Amino acid sequence: QVQLQESGPGLVEPSQTLSLTCTVSGGSISSGRYYWSWIRQPAGKGLEWIGRIYTSGSTNYHPSLKSRVTISVDMSKNQFSLKLSAVTAADTAVYFCARGPYNTFVSWGQGTLVTVSS
Amino acid sequence: DIQMTQSPSSLSASVGDRVTITCQASQDIHNYLNWYQQKPGKAPKLLIYDASNLETGVPSRFSGSGSGTDFTFTISSLQPEDFATYYCQQFDNVPLFTFGPGTKVDIK
């Protein structure tokens, strides 16, 4: 059974770039028709889809974040990554990585809290 | 953008109660809707996909229905492990996904 695990700094300074990695185990990131997504959740609030990458390397991003987001994949390490630039306090949230078919998020990481503060 | 609303935002119920949550889309999304359960400090878990299909391994007390703009999620007999927050998620305008604001189910 596939497992996902987020990793990265828990504290990022305002205006800097948030960088997170999702390590996939129990299955190859390059196999199957799966999309690999990032989703975030501010404390006490709802879920916001950030973007996704397909096994082909094609990406889709939320329009409101598109100018600041890059999602990439490293097949050799079985990982995919999120970079969010020019962060502000509004980007403070728990960030989840997730896997799914075209339209659903089936497998999730446990989530990692990222706080934007100086 | 498609906006999703859920009602109620929270409810209190007892073990054994029938619980119903509604999700409304701002435009017709056909049956392009999923339901998730999230417990505190945990990742969401997919329960229902395509509005009415039960995900593998999910107990049959959970069900979903609806199409177009109005959807319903039901727990037929609430169990202690069901106290959680429930979210709907639309995928009509892929690749933009939006979630509802959530419904918190707690113990009466």
Side-chain angles (χ1 to χ4, degrees):
Chain A
Q1 181 167 341
V2 71
Q3 293 186 322
L4 294 82
Q5 177 69 58
E6 305 89 351
S7 61
L11 180 65
V12 180
E13 293 189 355
S15 79
Q16 299 303 303
T17 296
L18 177 160
S19 296
L20 295 175
T21 296
C22 183
T23 300
V24 179
S25 59
S28 173
I29 202 170
S30 61
S31 67
R33 299 180 181 180
Y34 293 115
Y35 292 80
W36 305 88
S37 288
W38 288 96
I39 296 162
R40 69 181 182 180
Q41 184 173 38
K45 296 188 178 181
L47 299 157
E48 180 180 42
W49 177 76
I50 299 169
R52 69 180 185 180
I53 189 164
Y54 188 51
T55 50
S56 66
S58 65
T59 54
N60 305 113
Y61 301 126
H62 194 294
S64 70
L65 298 170
K66 188 174 184 178
S67 63
R68 299 194 292 132
V69 173
T70 302
I71 295 176
S72 59
V73 64
D74 186 334
M75 303 285 190
S76 66
K77 294 182 178 179
N78 225 31
Q79 298 174 334
F80 65 106
S81 298
L82 168 71
K83 291 188 184 299
L84 180 65
S85 64
V87 296
T88 69
D91 295 309
T92 294
V94 174
Y95 285 74
F96 296 98
C97 56
R99 184 188 86 165
Y102 184 67
N103 50 26
T104 305
F105 310 106
V106 179
S107 302
W108 296 66
Q110 65 185 24
T112 188
L113 174 63
V114 179
T115 301
V116 178
S117 176
S118 55
Chain B
D1 289 4
I2 299 174
Q3 305 301 316
M4 307 299 294
T5 58
Q6 286 182 236
S7 61
S9 58
S10 64
L11 64 90
S12 296
S14 301
V15 172
D17 284 353
R18 182 181 182 88
V19 170
T20 299
I21 298 168
T22 63
C23 177
Q24 187 169 56
S26 59
Q27 65 189 65
D28 186 347
I29 60 169
H30 311 283
N31 68 330
Y32 300 154
L33 188 94
N34 302 321
W35 289 95
Y36 298 82
Q37 174 194 67
Q38 186 179 33
K39 297 182 179 179
K42 301 295 186 182
K45 174 186 177 182
L46 177 67
L47 300 180
I48 302 287
Y49 64 94
D50 295 350
S52 60
N53 295 295
L54 197 66
E55 174 69 354
T56 302
V58 174
S60 59
R61 63 180 180 274
F62 296 101
S63 65
S65 65
S67 66
T69 61
D70 297 304
F71 301 85
T72 300
F73 173 81
T74 300
I75 307 172
S76 61
S77 178
L78 194 68
Q79 298 302 299
E81 61 268 30
D82 300 338
F83 291 97
T85 300
Y86 295 86
Y87 294 94
C88 58
Q89 172 242 321
Q90 69 81 23
F91 54 93
D92 181 70
N93 59 342
V94 174
L96 176 58
F97 305 94
T98 51
F99 293 85
T103 296
K104 183 178 181 180
V105 177
D106 60 21
I107 302 172
K108 180 183 287 185

